């Protein structure tokens, strides 16, 4: 048999690992190539919170949540807003993916030893109507062990395949081109990078030590998105979200450089929906950074008051946790690329979670005792308190006037007036006295507390922001944080890539973020969250299975 392997997988992130393990398990030989060192195995997924979109799971049912494929599909389509000719395959992927999340996904993972934290989170709650954006019910299932907990089963399978000789890793190999013979993609060529002892997630050197060429009957591109490359993010920034922000922080390591996207496109692959992206508006600068411009996303509960740079409360329903892109659009329309949370110690204690495995040592370390303290502790979790103390974007004061002075000093202007903020906060505070209200955000808080998961660990008891017994007051300056690429290479349901001429490119497959998590953009415009890791699992699996079958 010609070739160095049956299949080559570019990228040892989650999508690449899933694809490679499926190929090896089908008895085929696979080479997994990554520009980073072995210490970065698992790519972004290692750093993730491990949140997974599951539909009608036992965990949901135990918490009294009634979910179904139909309800989830309604939510998905309302969020995706598919409206383009090239949405044909993305929409098919969306339907198939929701079916996977409602059926096979949980058991498939469970059989590999994956487990879930029992309190299901409620991300992207929308706030418009039943057919618009958002999750009607909580569906965000955090992996027990967070990101490492979702990587582990696939790393284990990969190591077994490696031991049996069916899988080979080539770390510090950077692909620079795809090779095509007789119209079929049949290999890759690139640069061997010098060994680098940089810790996982840190930037590694790009110094070359040689070249390589490898051949196989098929190549799967699983190289991730563009979120670490701010030039590319700006270049593809959609006008519908306003101007690209001047200041952005990075929610992903440097290796999410988008370079392989350009290389694959240059080989003839059809990239669609490149203007669809998923960036967060609740980014804070990491006081203890791992990668350049390292930012962390706050996963906010519903109670913080949200103000734009000039001190206007964000309009309904743009409350914390409702509609990421709606918030991004609004914030960019203010002419500034930041906004503010104003909250109390009682709110931060119960409602602030930070996205990232390293920010959740209790869940990542699978420590039940530490995790239980989320419900009982007087303070916020340790990593949140550390941000409150050391984070450049946090201001903590005993009274509003001092808080506003600190906020203006931090942004280097005097846009905020204590009088304006006080007026709005006091008005909101008057709405707290009754269990009913006309303030939509306060209604939203009452709604959250009807869900036991939120009442336990995600939503503070309603109280007045200016009540000193809930203090001190806290302001957090929120930056725009780059993260996910929603567009990608157009593929059929077997993850086979279409060429720019509309025909399948023989030998070429794409999976994970590079494929827009399937089909070239199965999320459409918006995500329901927890759908990215799941998209890597689903598209990685289909690419691996289809490629293994095709190579005979
Ligand atoms: C902090 C954080 C929290 C997150 N939380 C969640 C969550 O809770 N739920 C969720 O669903 N999603 C979450 N995500 C998103 C999710 O983790 C990613 O979208 C997903 O892991 C992407 O996987 P991938 O395999 O497609 O790409 P990657 O993980 O980016 O892997 C791609 C690999 O390809 C390699 N590569 C790239 N180009 C080349 C080249 N030319 N040659 C050789 N190798 C190359 C890279 O070095 C990298 O190792 C989070 C992400 C982060 C960073």
């Amino acid at each position: 048999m010609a070739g160095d392997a049956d299949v080559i997988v570019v990228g040892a992130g989650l999508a690449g690992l899933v694809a490679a393990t499926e190929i090896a398990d089908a008895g085929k030989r696979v080479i997994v190539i990554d520009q980073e060192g072995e210490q970065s195995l698992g790519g972004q997924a290692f750093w993730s919170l491990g949140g997974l979109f599951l539909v009608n799971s036992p965990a949901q049912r135990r918490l009294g949540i009634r979910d179904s494929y139909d309800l989830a599909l309604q939510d998905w389509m309302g969020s995706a807003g598919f409206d383009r000719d090239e949405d044909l395959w993305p929409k098919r992927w969306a339907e198939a993916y929701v079916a996977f999340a409602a059926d096979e996904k949980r058991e498939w993972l469970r059989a590999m030893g994956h487990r879930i934290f029992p309190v299901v989170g409620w991300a992207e709650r929308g706030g418009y109507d039943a057919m618009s954006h958002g999750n009607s019910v909580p569906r965000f299932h955090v992996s027990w062990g967070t990101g490492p907990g979702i990587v582990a089963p696939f790393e284990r399978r990969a190591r077994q395949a490696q031991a049996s000789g069916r899988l080979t890793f080539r770390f510090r190999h950077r692909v620079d081109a795809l090779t095509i013979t007789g119209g079929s993609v049949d290999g890759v060529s690139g640069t061997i990078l010098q060994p680098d002892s940089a810790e996982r997630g840190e930037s590694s050197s790009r110094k070359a030590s040689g070249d390589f060429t490898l051949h196989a009957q098929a190549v799967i591109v699983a190289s991730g998105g563009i979120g670490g490359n701010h030039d590319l993010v700006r270049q593809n920034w959609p006008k519908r979200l306003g101007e690209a922000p001047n200041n952005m922080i990075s929610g992903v390591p440097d290796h999410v450089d988008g370079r392989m996207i350009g290389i694959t496109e240059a080989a003839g692959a059809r990239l669609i929906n490149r203007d669809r992206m998923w960036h967060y508006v609740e980014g804070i600068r990491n006081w203890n950074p791992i990668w350049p411009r390292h930012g962390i996303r706050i996963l906010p509960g519903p109670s913080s008051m949200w103000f734009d740079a000039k001190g206007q409360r964000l309009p309904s329903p743009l409350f914390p946790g409702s509609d990421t892109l709606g918030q991004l659009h609004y914030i960019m329309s203010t002419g500034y690329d930041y906004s503010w949370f104003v909250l109390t110690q009682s709110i931060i204690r119960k409602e602030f979670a930070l996205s990232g495995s390293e920010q959740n040592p209790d869940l990542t370390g699978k420590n039940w005792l530490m995790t239980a303290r989320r419900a009982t502790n007087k303070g916020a979790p340790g990593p949140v308190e550390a941000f409150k103390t050391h984070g450049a974007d946090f201001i903590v004061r005993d009274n509003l006037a001092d808080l506003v002075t600190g906020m203006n000093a931090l942004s280097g202007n005097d846009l905020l007036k204590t009088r304006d903020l006080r007026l709005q906060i006091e008005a909101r505070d008057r709405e707290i006295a009754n269990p009913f209200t006309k303030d939509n955000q306060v209604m939203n808080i009452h709604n959250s507390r009807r869900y036991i998961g939120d009442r336990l660990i995600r939503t503070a008891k309603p109280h007045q922001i200016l009540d000193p017994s809930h203090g001190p007051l806290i302001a957090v300056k929120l930056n725009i944080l780059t993260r996910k690429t929603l567009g990608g290479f157009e593929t059929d349901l077997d993850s086979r890539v279409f060429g720019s001429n509309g025909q399948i490119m023989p030998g070429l497959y794409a999976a994970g973020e590079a494929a827009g998590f399937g089909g070239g953009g199965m999320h459409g415009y918006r995500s329901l969250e927890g759908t990215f890791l799941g998209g890597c699992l689903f598209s990685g699996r289909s690419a691996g299975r289809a490629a293994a079958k095709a190579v005979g």
Side-chain angles (χ1 to χ4, degrees):
M1 194 170 15
D4 300 286
D6 297 311
V7 186
I8 291 168
V9 176
V10 183
L14 184 63
L17 281 178
V18 174
T21 50
E22 290 293 320
I23 293 161
D25 284 3
K28 308 294 176 196
R29 292 174 309 138
V30 56
I31 297 175
V32 183
I33 301 177
D34 204 293
Q35 61 193 352
E36 296 304 321
E38 186 157 12
Q39 62 274 35
S40 283
L41 187 69
Q44 296 179 62
F46 178 90
W47 297 107
S48 78
L49 193 58
L52 294 177
F53 175 86
L54 292 172
V55 177
N56 189 22
S57 69
Q60 285 175 302
R61 291 197 293 271
R62 273 195 294 275
L63 294 163
I65 301 162
R66 283 190 282 271
D67 199 5
S68 65
Y69 171 78
D70 289 339
L71 183 62
L73 193 66
Q74 166 184 315
D75 289 350
W76 192 290
M77 293 302 166
S79 300
F82 293 119
D83 61 356
R84 299 175 175 172
D85 288 345
E86 63 247 47
D87 282 332
L88 179 73
W89 286 104
K91 193 160 172 235
R92 287 179 182 166
W93 268 88
E95 286 159 356
Y97 176 69
V98 175
F100 175 66
D103 185 12
E104 222 186 322
K105 182 177 178 184
R106 177 180 166 276
E107 282 309 318
W108 182 59
L109 288 172
R110 205 176 155 74
M112 286 182 250
H114 175 267
R115 294 290 180 273
I116 278 160
F117 176 61
V119 183
V120 182
W122 194 355
E124 292 295 298
R125 301 170 187 214
Y128 305 94
D129 63 35
M131 291 181 70
S132 302
H133 173 63
N135 283 298
S136 302
V137 296
R139 296 194 176 105
F140 190 76
H141 297 66
V142 174
S143 299
W144 188 230
T146 67
I150 189 75
V151 173
F154 298 98
E155 178 171 356
R156 195 178 320 116
R157 283 174 61 191
R159 296 293 184 197
Q160 280 161 4
Q162 189 182 20
S164 73
R166 286 196 303 279
L167 185 150
T168 312
F169 283 112
R170 297 286 173 94
F171 295 108
R172 300 295 285 160
H173 281 53
R174 187 187 69 194
V175 174
D176 298 329
L178 297 176
T179 61
I180 302 181
T181 307
S184 290
V185 175
D186 66 347
V188 295
S189 63
T191 309
I192 303 173
L193 302 172
Q194 283 181 11
D196 192 314
S197 59
E199 296 282 325
R200 180 194 279 278
E202 291 177 1
S203 306
S204 63
S205 109
R206 289 292 177 259
K207 282 197 189 119
S209 69
D211 300 325
F212 72 95
T213 302
L214 291 166
H215 287 292
Q217 293 176 60
V219 174
I220 299 177
V221 175
S223 56
I226 65 170
N229 183 335
H230 291 195
D231 290 339
L232 271 184
V233 169
R234 289 202 174 89
Q235 206 175 302
N236 292 300
W237 190 267
K239 278 273 176 279
R240 63 179 177 279
L241 291 177
E243 289 303 313
N246 285 329
N247 299 303
M248 293 189 282
I249 54 179
S250 274
V252 296
D254 247 3
H255 68 68
V256 191
D257 58 19
R259 199 171 155 274
M260 190 67 207
I261 305 259
I263 291 166
T264 310
E265 199 181 9
R270 186 166 182 230
L271 184 65
I272 58 174
N273 298 315
R274 66 178 87 217
D275 62 330
R276 291 179 181 164
M277 335 178 174
W278 191 247
H279 305 306
Y280 294 108
V281 285
E282 314 95 336
I284 47 178
R285 287 170 285 171
N286 194 347
W287 62 274
N288 192 13
I290 296 165
W291 54 77
R293 302 173 285 198
H294 190 170
I296 299 289
R297 184 201 176 198
I298 300 170
L299 297 161
S303 305
S304 298
M305 288 191 77
W306 203 337
F307 296 95
D308 65 25
K310 290 190 234 162
Q312 281 307 305
R313 196 172 169 195
L314 263 61
S316 171
L318 303 181
F319 314 125
S322 64
D323 173 9
T324 292
L325 285 199
Q327 288 144 0
L328 180 54
H329 178 247
Y330 174 82
I331 289 165
M332 292 318 298
S333 76
T334 65
Y336 297 87
D337 49 23
Y338 65 91
S339 61
W340 296 98
F341 275 168
V342 172
L343 61 149
T344 61
Q345 175 65 22
S346 299
I347 295 174
I348 203 170
R349 180 184 84 71
K350 191 121 181 193
E351 298 197 5
F352 265 38
L354 302 173
S355 181
S357 50
E358 83 288 6
Q359 300 295 335
N360 295 275
D362 49 355
L363 292 164
T364 304
K366 301 187 179 180
N367 185 325
W368 280 115
L369 198 68
M370 258 173 98
T371 307
R373 288 198 199 116
R374 285 181 182 234
T376 56
N377 247 15
K378 292 249 175 301
V384 175
E385 284 292 334
F387 262 94
K388 212 179 96 191
T389 309
H390 306 294
D393 294 311
F394 283 69
I395 297 160
V396 183
R397 298 286 188 276
D398 286 329
N399 64 73
L400 187 62
D402 288 352
L403 192 80
V404 172
T405 304
M407 292 161 81
N408 279 331
L410 180 56
S411 45
N413 55 41
D414 59 357
L415 287 173
L416 300 172
K417 307 283 177 246
T418 306
R419 192 186 55 242
D420 293 348
L421 259 73
R422 186 180 299 284
L423 206 69
Q424 297 174 83
I425 298 173
E426 284 180 349
R428 177 265 183 212
D429 279 359
R430 285 186 202 102
E431 300 283 321
I432 290 295
N434 292 291
F436 40 83
T437 170
K438 72 172 184 187
D439 185 288
N440 279 346
Q441 183 173 9
V442 178
M443 278 183 217
N444 207 33
I445 296 169
H446 291 308
N447 191 35
S448 287
R449 284 184 59 88
R450 276 195 216 109
Y451 166 51
I452 184 170
D454 273 0
R455 198 164 60 243
L456 269 175
I457 56 170
R458 288 296 276 155
T459 308
K461 212 166 160 193
H463 59 272
Q464 299 194 334
I465 302 270
L466 294 179
D467 177 350
S469 70
H470 288 277
L473 283 169
I474 301 162
V476 188
K477 186 170 181 225
L478 304 172
N479 309 275
I480 296 184
L481 173 109
T482 61
R483 185 92 96 211
K484 285 132 188 168
T485 310
L486 299 187
F489 293 110
E490 184 181 31
T491 71
D492 67 4
L493 289 176
D494 280 338
S495 302
R496 296 184 304 163
V497 176
F498 288 95
S500 46
N501 60 1
Q503 303 299 310
I504 293 285
M505 285 179 76
L508 186 62
Y509 298 76
E513 204 163 340
F517 300 96
M522 70 167 187
H523 296 93
Y525 289 93
R526 289 174 158 84
S527 162
L528 292 172
E529 287 292 354
T531 56
F532 308 104
L533 295 168
C536 289
L537 298 173
F538 190 52
S539 63
R541 196 179 75 154
S542 71
R545 287 183 181 177
K549 208 162 153 199
V551 297

